[in-house]
Amino acid sequence: MFKTIVLGIFLLAAAGGILFSQQSLSMEQAIFEANLIQVKKPVNSKFIRPFLFGHEAFYADLFWIDSIRWSVERGMPGLGTYLYKTLDMVTDLDPRFEQAYVWSSSAITFSVSSDMSYKERVLAANEILQKGWNYIQNDTEGWKHFSHYWMIPQLLAFNYGFELKDKEKALEYNQALMSVPDLPPHMKTWVAGLYRESNQKEKGLGFLEQLLAVETLQAQMRMTDDEEVKTRLRGKLLAFYKS
């Protein structure tokens, strides 16, 4: 099975990284077959990288687009595992693909999956978000960020604080969020208040946490076109509005 993936990737790479209209169908089919195999068997990006001839970012885009297509598939077995493996590979191939990190959180967490529990999906999403955040912290070259890249630490704070009930870890990422350039002003105000009041046990702390949670969920709503995911996000929002 792994040989099939390598062969499929090699055939794609041999095209020189350029899509022609007459080749698009066969390339799509090759990716489709590779993804089906990947659901059952993990693929490490280091094994396929030599066959991409420097076009890693290009193929990361292709696999990400294909994962978007599969994310709305209701009957696909192992969907949660598939999305995690694919997005892990995508972000290995292109570690600066910040939009994929952000999208992965709602795509994995709210996927219609029978192979992973909800907590397992949150942890899987956190792994990918953490990988992106670590890369950003260690990047010494400097480059233009995705407009919503600040959502990476925001989503980590939300997942730890509200999904996993780890307030200490959530506070760590909320603090990190304060230092992110181009953070929207209202987010900076909320997080500053949250951090300032974290040791005071006041009612204001709970209020700020609620606002931060609502903002995070609304931002996730804006980042997805999947109606199933939106429905689940609306359900979570409703719970916060009623509390």
Side-chain angles (χ1 to χ4, degrees), residues 24-44:
S24 60
L25 182 59
S26 60
M27 293 181 74
E28 181 180 1
Q29 183 64 27
I31 294 175
F32 172 79
E33 292 174 357
N35 284 336
L36 286 180
I37 295 171
Q38 190 177 308
V39 172
K40 298 182 179 179
K41 185 177 179 63
V43 177
N44 192 316

Side-chain angles (χ1 to χ4, degrees), residues 35 58 74 79 86 92 103-104 110 153 192 210 220 225 232:
N35 284 336
F58 172 78
R74 303 292 165 241
L79 180 59
T86 301
D92 276 347
W103 183 79
S104 70
F110 297 104
Q210 295 283 78
Q220 285 183 291
D225 294 323
R232 291 166 182 256

Side-chain angles (χ1 to χ4, degrees), residues 164-180:
L164 302 175
K165 310 303 180 186
D166 187 340
K167 297 291 185 181
E168 184 176 346
K169 198 72 173 176
L171 189 60
E172 175 186 332
Y173 288 106
N174 278 325
Q175 184 180 10
L177 186 61
M178 282 289 294
S179 63
V180 175

Side-chain angles (χ1 to χ4, degrees), residues 19 79 93 142 145 234:
L19 283 174
L79 180 59
L93 290 175
H145 291 287
R234 289 188 191 102

Side-chain angles (χ1 to χ4, degrees), residues 53-112:
F53 306 113
H55 296 292
E56 290 90 345
F58 172 78
Y59 288 104
D61 284 347
L62 288 182
F63 280 109
W64 179 59
I65 291 169
D66 205 56
S67 70
I68 293 175
R69 182 180 70 174
W70 277 106
S71 69
V72 300
E73 185 65 39
R74 303 292 165 241
M76 179 177 176
L79 180 59
T81 302
Y82 159 73
L83 288 173
Y84 167 69
K85 290 178 182 177
T86 301
L87 291 166
D88 189 48
M89 180 181 67
V90 164
T91 49
D92 276 347
L93 290 175
D94 186 2
R96 289 181 167 177
F97 199 168
E98 293 173 341
Q99 188 172 357
Y101 292 117
V102 173
W103 183 79
S104 70
S105 182
S106 57
I108 296 173
T109 303
F110 297 104
S111 64
V112 181

Side-chain angles (χ1 to χ4, degrees), residues 198-218:
S198 60
N199 295 317
Q200 298 180 16
K201 306 298 182 183
E202 297 178 357
K203 290 183 179 180
L205 174 60
F207 176 70
L208 286 168
E209 285 182 328
Q210 295 283 78
L211 289 177
L212 193 61
V214 168
E215 171 69 20
T216 302
L217 291 167
Q218 288 176 337

Side-chain angles (χ1 to χ4, degrees), residues 218-232:
Q218 288 176 337
Q220 285 183 291
M221 285 270 286
R222 293 190 291 270
M223 290 295 296
T224 182
D225 294 323
D226 184 347
E227 289 303 321
E228 181 71 24
V229 169
K230 285 185 176 181
T231 298
R232 291 166 182 256

Side-chain angles (χ1 to χ4, degrees), residues 117-185:
S117 68
Y118 185 73
K119 182 177 180 179
E120 288 173 334
R121 280 177 275 150
V122 172
L123 290 170
N126 273 11
E127 280 189 34
I128 294 178
L129 287 166
Q130 183 65 66
K131 180 169 63 172
W133 184 237
N134 288 342
Y135 186 86
I136 290 171
Q137 297 305 296
N138 294 305
D139 180 34
T140 58
E141 296 180 20
W143 54 296
K144 186 176 181 180
H145 291 287
F146 169 57
S147 60
H148 286 76
Y149 88 104
W150 51 268
M151 286 184 65
I152 295 176
Q154 181 195 21
L155 288 166
L156 280 164
F158 174 81
N159 285 347
Y160 276 114
F162 289 93
E163 305 289 13
L164 302 175
K165 310 303 180 186
D166 187 340
K167 297 291 185 181
E168 184 176 346
K169 198 72 173 176
L171 189 60
E172 175 186 332
Y173 288 106
N174 278 325
Q175 184 180 10
L177 186 61
M178 282 289 294
S179 63
V180 175
D182 303 319
L183 184 69

